[in-house]
Amino acid sequence: MVIDKDYHYTFLNMTEVSGYFMVIQWIRVLFLFKPNYIFGPMINILNKMIETILKFLIIYGMFFLIFASSGSLLFNSIPAFQDRTSTIVTLFSASLGNFSFSIFDDPSNAVSKSN
């Protein structure tokens, strides 16, 4: 691996900052079209969609944190649930449909062990 000595990592990359700035500016331009009879209803629909998506993300985040906490407490012996970061990654992956039940196959990882 070759390390460039002249390269300095900066927290704020100016290309990214200008990209974010352009997105914000285009959103401001969209609000100028609100009085227009063609674009006005479309912008109102976008506002309602964003509002609905934010409500969903808040509810999803609350349930996700609840399941992440309980998964971390209940399945601590399984390697995919041993720390918070791996638990969150595993549960987010499972919520997207990428999950295998084979991690629960080992009987030594049982939540409640019977006598």
Side-chain angles (χ1 to χ4, degrees), residues 51-81:
E51 196 175 293
T52 305
I53 289 171
L54 286 176
K55 288 178 186 176
F56 168 76
L57 288 176
I58 289 171
I59 294 170
Y60 176 79
M62 290 182 349
F63 277 100
F64 185 77
L65 290 176
I66 291 169
F67 278 104
S69 299
S70 62
S72 180
L73 291 173
L74 291 173
F75 304 116
N76 196 16
S77 60
I78 299 173
F81 293 96

Side-chain angles (χ1 to χ4, degrees), residues 42 62 102 106:
M42 290 183 212
M62 290 182 349
S102 63
D106 188 12

Side-chain angles (χ1 to χ4, degrees), residues 4-13 16:
D4 186 13
K5 293 181 180 178
D6 295 330
Y7 177 76
H8 297 288
Y9 175 77
T10 58
F11 179 70
L12 294 174
N13 187 354
E16 292 176 12

Side-chain angles (χ1 to χ4, degrees), residues 5-45:
K5 293 181 180 178
D6 295 330
Y7 177 76
H8 297 288
Y9 175 77
T10 58
F11 179 70
L12 294 174
N13 187 354
M14 290 312 291
T15 306
E16 292 176 12
V17 171
S18 63
Y20 295 135
F21 180 71
M22 289 304 295
V23 168
I24 291 170
Q25 289 303 317
W26 273 109
I27 291 171
R28 290 182 67 193
V29 167
L30 283 176
F31 284 114
L32 293 176
F33 287 127
K34 239 181 177 181
N36 191 344
Y37 70 95
I38 293 174
F39 293 115
M42 290 183 212
I43 293 172
N44 288 336
I45 290 171

